[in-house]
Amino acid sequence: MNYQWYPGHMTKAKRMMQENMKLIDLMIELVDARIPFSSRNPDLDELAGNKYRIVLLNKADLADSRYNKLWAEYFKQKGYAALEINSRSGAGIKLIGPMVQEVCREKTQRDRKRGIVNRPVRAMVAGIPNVGKSTFVNSFAGKACTKTGNKPGVTKGKQWIRLNKSLELLDTPGILWPRFEDQLVGERLALIGSMNDEILHMDELALSLIGFLKVRYPGVIKKRYGLDEEAESTECLKQIAERRKCYTKGESIDYAKAAALFMDDFRSGRLGRITLEFPEDP
């Protein structure tokens, strides 16, 4: 399957971010902790230029805790401030304010020397679709100040949110990039729900994930569905369908329904904490 999804509004969103870059001091980039590398939009490095940077590994509760720490260290070695968070539960959120002040300390001191006091740090919140930016902003602000949803593309325009006297946030729409040079990146983005499921072959995606889990997380599928994990991936999907009564009206196996059920189990964390890529990968 060829993975690609770049609707027209993303071009407009990227242009808007470029125009607003001169207004900000800091870029807070959210990545999905299950795919911290693949969920980074490479265009953001060019857009951000020499702005201060923080990388937040969101949805850390869905990712393997062993690799969360390794990925946070990976980004720190690249020169970013990095932190694991869970926007839904609020885990890690209280640590972000002090981190912002520490990262922007040089800017604050420079302002004071110029006689500028109490000027807030202005930060842009950026990331790919469905990475949890709006949920993060609401959690960070302590109130529902942005629209949220469990599908990509909910945030369509920019929104400024004043958190306190020392920090203002600019929430932006999630944007992908026009072409995935590595289709494995595209597949991983599809797996976590950063593309529109309606343009994907969910049964192919499910088979790919089954194959991955059998190698990297043996026992997970057997524990969840009570099936023979040693079987071929197609047979595993068939057994999932049979155990979850996924049949068409003609009583034949409904592979599409079984694939959707399996993918929902993965995305919601019912299969356990799973990371799809690792810092040691090339």
Side-chain angles (χ1 to χ4, degrees):
M1 188 189 336
N2 182 48
Y3 295 95
Q4 204 63 51
W5 188 56
Y6 193 72
H9 76 268
M10 290 189 183
T11 301
K12 182 180 178 182
K14 181 181 176 182
R15 193 179 306 120
M16 180 270 289
M17 291 172 70
Q18 286 175 315
E19 293 170 353
N20 285 280
M21 201 57 61
K22 61 181 178 293
L23 302 176
I24 70 161
D25 309 296
L26 165 73
M27 178 180 282
I28 299 176
E29 179 184 1
L30 269 71
V31 299
D32 190 301
R34 293 167 293 181
I35 54 168
F37 181 79
S38 293
S39 59
R40 291 199 72 214
N41 186 335
D43 291 345
L44 292 182
D45 286 337
E46 182 182 349
L47 282 171
N50 60 355
K51 302 293 183 181
Y52 300 112
R53 303 288 296 277
I54 291 177
V55 174
L56 300 178
L57 288 93
N58 196 27
K59 305 185 182 181
D61 59 310
L62 299 178
D64 192 325
S65 59
R66 297 171 296 170
Y67 293 107
N68 286 345
K69 292 177 173 36
L70 291 175
W71 274 114
E73 187 59 35
Y74 169 89
F75 287 116
K76 289 173 185 176
Q77 291 178 2
K78 295 290 184 182
Y80 305 103
L83 184 68
E84 306 168 41
I85 66 166
N86 176 2
S87 294
R88 290 197 179 278
S89 71
I93 295 296
K94 290 183 179 179
L95 300 175
I96 299 173
M99 177 177 279
V100 168
Q101 298 307 315
E102 178 62 29
V103 169
C104 297
R105 178 183 291 181
E106 182 183 346
K107 176 258 179 194
T108 304
Q109 292 176 343
R110 193 167 56 243
D111 283 349
R112 286 174 180 167
K113 287 179 180 179
R114 296 173 179 170
I116 304 170
V117 293
N118 297 325
R119 182 170 130 185
V121 171
R122 306 191 91 187
M124 176 182 286
V125 180
I128 64 168
N130 209 31
V131 78
K133 294 184 306 302
S134 295
T135 302
F136 159 70
V137 171
N138 290 342
S139 181
F140 195 21
K143 57 186 177 182
C145 50
T146 69
K147 295 180 181 178
T148 61
N150 59 356
K151 59 183 179 180
V154 172
T155 303
K156 288 292 193 293
K158 68 175 182 179
Q159 302 180 73
W160 277 105
I161 300 101
R162 186 177 179 87
L163 268 67
N164 50 52
K165 293 188 295 183
S166 61
L167 181 61
E168 293 180 357
L169 295 182
L170 174 60
D171 189 24
T172 60
I175 59 170
L176 294 172
W177 49 109
R179 181 175 176 79
F180 303 135
E181 298 297 334
D182 183 353
Q183 281 297 293
L184 187 55
V185 169
E187 180 181 90
R188 288 168 177 165
L189 289 168
L191 283 168
I192 67 166
S194 290
M195 293 187 197
N196 186 343
D197 283 348
E198 293 177 4
I199 69 169
L200 302 171
H201 298 295
M202 296 300 285
D203 51 347
E204 290 184 30
L205 204 58
L207 290 174
S208 179
L209 180 58
I210 289 171
F212 171 85
L213 293 176
K214 285 163 63 177
V215 174
R216 295 301 300 239
Y217 291 91
V220 163
I221 297 174
K222 183 178 181 179
K223 180 180 179 182
R224 176 67 181 170
Y225 304 106
L227 52 79
D228 179 13
E229 203 173 75
E230 299 302 316
E232 293 291 325
S233 295
T234 49
E235 178 62 23
C236 285
L237 185 59
K238 179 183 177 183
Q239 290 183 40
I240 291 171
E242 291 171 341
R243 280 160 174 72
R244 295 306 167 90
K245 305 291 189 279
C246 298
Y247 298 105
T248 63
K249 290 182 178 180
E251 292 302 306
S252 58
I253 296 290
D254 190 337
Y255 286 99
K257 184 176 180 180
L261 181 150
F262 175 66
M263 290 304 303
D264 187 60
D265 279 352
F266 161 68
R267 290 173 178 175
S268 64
R270 286 190 288 270
L271 294 182
R273 299 180 65 166
I274 293 165
T275 294
L276 298 179
E277 62 187 9
F278 313 96
E280 66 268 22
D281 290 343

